[in-house]
Amino acid sequence: MTRLTPYGETVYTNMMTHFVRNYRKQFIDRQPRMYEITSEMEPTEDGRLTMADLIRYYQLSYEVIHREDPEGIVCGPGYGPWGGHVEAFLRAGLGKYIDAIAGHSYWNPTDPEPSDLVGTVRRTDKMIAETAGRKIPVYDTESGYATRDLKEREFIQFKHITRMNLIFVGEGYKAVSLFTNSDYRNERGFGYNFNLWLSRTHGRDYSDYGPCRTSPKQVVPAQSAMTWFIANHVSCGDIPFLGKTVWGYVFKNVKTGKIDLAVWDWARDIRDPNRFNLKVGRKSITVADHMGNLRTESCNAKGELPVAL
């Protein structure tokens, strides 16, 4: 990107007008239709591109998008929401020209819960509201956990990503998205599918981000199950009272009113689960594990469900 001249602004506005019209026509049934104006862009050190120059792109885009696609969502700037980059953009006036924060919400390599991801998300929401003068929703457009192609880290990756994304959605994120479909040579192990080419450049490789042959990692069924269970749900808040290492959220289906709980113990090994009774007030309840396997469990006479996390 470069600083726009008056003529450049006219060209950019015309380009955006044609783009938005065409995009809306092609994806009229897609909701939401998101327009991320910049991604990980920042001012240049030599001053040739300033923060004001970047904000101007958003201002012009915001006017065009809301005129040509009233349902469209303008978002940016494509950095981790809790980093100084987002705050700098907001202090420069970005909040006037976006409908949502497009966040690259990486949290690596430490575990989400003991390293205070929950507190960080909440403090960031407060910072955004105070700096922008209003609450702005967050869409996570990029996040992940790198295995560095180490087999023993694949299990860690799927647990880390599933818990991290449940926290994001539980704390109010509108959507979550993993970084890249497949592993590729520049950032090994970030994808959620294995690259099955014998070498990183073997054969007809469509791009670094999408090799022709892939195979899903453990994170795929776990992420799919999480998505299946909480799609069309809103968060009703956290569940902080089940133990020091137990965390979770209450989700409500916006269409049916059905309540679902997502609960986990982030410190216990599967071979030595945390056992307790959860009061649900029912004779039986449907339970699922992190891979989406469903079963019906009976509650005791007090309406409590024996739980092993």
Side-chain angles (χ1 to χ4, degrees), residues 62 94-100 128-137:
Y62 188 84
L94 180 66
K96 295 183 290 185
Y97 307 116
I98 59 173
D99 305 303
I128 292 172
E130 291 177 348
T131 308
R134 63 185 176 91
K135 290 186 176 181
I136 302 179

Side-chain angles (χ1 to χ4, degrees), residues 81 83 86-87 90 122-132:
V86 169
E87 184 173 0
L90 292 175
R122 292 176 180 178
R123 289 188 293 272
T124 301
D125 286 343
K126 183 179 179 181
M127 178 276 292
I128 292 172
E130 291 177 348
T131 308

Side-chain angles (χ1 to χ4, degrees), residues 51 122 124 140 165 177 191 204 220 275 308:
M51 183 65 80
R122 292 176 180 178
T124 301
D140 170 46
N165 285 348
S177 178
R204 187 185 175 194
V220 172
R275 299 182 183 277

Side-chain angles (χ1 to χ4, degrees), residues 40-307:
E40 297 187 1
M41 286 289 298
E42 56 186 320
T44 58
E45 293 182 356
D46 58 13
R48 288 188 295 176
L49 185 68
T50 67
M51 183 65 80
D53 297 328
L54 290 171
I55 298 298
R56 182 60 175 161
Y57 276 97
Y58 279 90
Q59 183 179 6
L60 295 171
S61 302
Y62 188 84
E63 294 170 357
V64 171
I65 292 167
H66 281 275
R67 181 182 71 238
E68 302 295 335
D69 187 0
E71 296 175 334
I73 295 175
V74 183
C75 62
Y79 282 102
W82 41 76
H85 292 288
V86 169
E87 184 173 0
F89 269 92
L90 292 175
R91 292 195 181 282
L94 180 66
K96 295 183 290 185
Y97 307 116
I98 59 173
D99 305 303
I101 298 290
H104 294 176
S105 309
Y106 291 93
W107 192 263
N108 294 315
T110 55
D111 286 344
E113 302 86 356
S115 57
D116 197 28
L117 174 59
V118 174
T120 301
V121 171
R122 292 176 180 178
R123 289 188 293 272
T124 301
D125 286 343
K126 183 179 179 181
M127 178 276 292
I128 292 172
E130 291 177 348
T131 308
R134 63 185 176 91
K135 290 186 176 181
I136 302 179
V138 176
Y139 287 76
D140 170 46
T141 58
E142 187 177 306
S143 63
Y145 181 91
T147 66
R148 303 300 177 197
D149 290 345
L150 298 174
K151 182 179 179 181
E152 60 270 21
R153 296 185 67 173
E154 301 297 343
F155 188 73
I156 298 172
Q157 183 195 54
F158 102 76
K159 291 196 300 180
H160 183 103
I161 287 177
T162 305
R163 286 153 47 194
M164 181 178 68
N165 285 348
L166 279 169
I167 289 172
F168 289 155
V169 179
E171 292 298 323
Y173 274 31
K174 294 296 184 181
V176 293
S177 178
L178 300 186
F179 172 42
T180 184
N181 175 68
S182 306
D183 289 340
Y184 62 102
R185 58 181 172 267
N186 291 328
E187 294 187 65
R188 295 179 295 115
F190 258 114
Y192 49 98
N193 285 279
F194 293 108
N195 179 351
L196 295 185
W197 285 121
L198 296 179
S199 68
R200 299 288 177 174
T201 58
H202 173 74
R204 187 185 175 194
D205 192 351
Y206 291 134
S207 74
D208 281 349
Y209 293 91
C212 301
R213 297 177 60 195
T214 65
S215 177
K217 299 182 179 183
Q218 292 93 321
V219 68
V220 172
Q223 186 81 354
S224 298
M226 183 197 74
T227 304
W228 172 262
F229 288 125
I230 65 174
N232 298 316
H233 285 64
V234 294
S235 175
C236 299
D238 60 81
I239 309 173
F241 50 80
L242 295 176
K244 291 183 178 180
T245 61
V246 178
W247 196 249
Y249 294 91
V250 179
F251 295 100
K252 182 178 180 179
N253 190 302
V254 296
K255 295 182 178 180
T256 66
K258 178 185 174 183
I259 296 296
D260 290 278
L261 307 182
V263 186
W264 65 94
D265 190 318
W266 50 265
R268 297 297 284 268
D269 190 281
I270 193 170
R271 295 164 294 186
D272 181 29
N274 183 355
R275 299 182 183 277
F276 58 89
N277 288 342
L278 179 65
K279 188 176 181 63
V280 295
R282 300 180 62 177
K283 293 182 179 180
S284 65
I285 193 168
T286 301
V287 178
D289 62 19
H290 53 271
M291 290 297 187
N293 299 302
L294 290 167
R295 65 185 185 275
T296 299
E297 295 281 357
S298 297
C299 300
N300 62 25
K302 298 179 180 179
E304 298 173 336
L305 174 70
V307 175

